[in-house]
Amino acid sequence: MRLMITVSDARTGSSGNVLIDADESEPLAAIVPRLASAVAVDPRAGASSLLVDGRIVPMSEPLSTAGMREGSSVVIGTRDALTAWETTPEDALVQLRVVSGDGAGTTLHAWRGITTIGSSADAALRIDDRSRLAARELAVDVAGADS
């Protein structure tokens, strides 16, 4: 798995871009030292939790299911410091609503970065309608108002 992501320090707000090149079965904890060094955080002192695109993700979570994708925003810090960065679906920059087909009524939420939409488990936003939707049907690049 090879991804370019943006890492921020929850305490200071400093950020940097990091190229992650790791096996998708690796737990997030294995890449924390690389993430922490991008924003000058001591991983032993203040990197006890990670927020991936607005959602707190357990450090034991493998990269493959942590929701990290190209362009993701990752915040590193203590659990308490991350609460200010945490988002809910209502905070999403884009809401995509499925209006017909098998997934009708589904609302998908996208934050900053490139979001893939499709019927496969690899898609960041999955719609279970393989008869009419390709494994990776669409990629949406979401930029915030301050980008």
Side-chain angles (χ1 to χ4, degrees), residues 98-128:
V98 179
V99 296
S100 66
D102 291 345
T106 303
T107 301
L108 306 171
H109 302 93
W111 287 263
R112 269 193 196 96
I114 297 172
T115 301
T116 56
I117 301 166
S119 61
S120 79
D122 292 348
L125 299 178
R126 186 170 181 269
I127 300 171
D128 193 18

Side-chain angles (χ1 to χ4, degrees), residues 69 71 92-94 96 109-115 139-144 147:
R69 61 189 187 278
L93 293 173
V94 174
L96 303 165
H109 302 93
W111 287 263
R112 269 193 196 96
I114 297 172
T115 301
V140 178
D141 190 354
V142 179
S147 294

Side-chain angles (χ1 to χ4, degrees), residues 126-147:
R126 186 170 181 269
I127 300 171
D128 193 18
D129 189 351
R130 292 175 191 207
S131 63
R132 289 182 273 190
L133 198 61
R136 289 189 173 206
E137 183 76 23
L138 177 67
V140 178
D141 190 354
V142 179
D146 58 346
S147 294

Side-chain angles (χ1 to χ4, degrees), residues 70-91:
E70 184 71 26
S72 280
S73 173
V74 177
V75 183
I76 189 168
T78 63
R79 178 67 177 92
D80 290 342
L82 291 180
T83 57
W85 296 77
E86 202 169 4
T87 61
T88 64
E90 291 76 30
D91 297 324

Side-chain angles (χ1 to χ4, degrees), residues 1 4 9 26 53 56 58-60 71 73 77 83 99 107 110 121 139-140:
M1 176 178 250
M4 179 66 78
D9 177 352
E26 258 188 280
D53 292 329
I56 292 181
M59 295 285 230
S60 59
S73 173
T83 57
V99 296
T107 301
V140 178

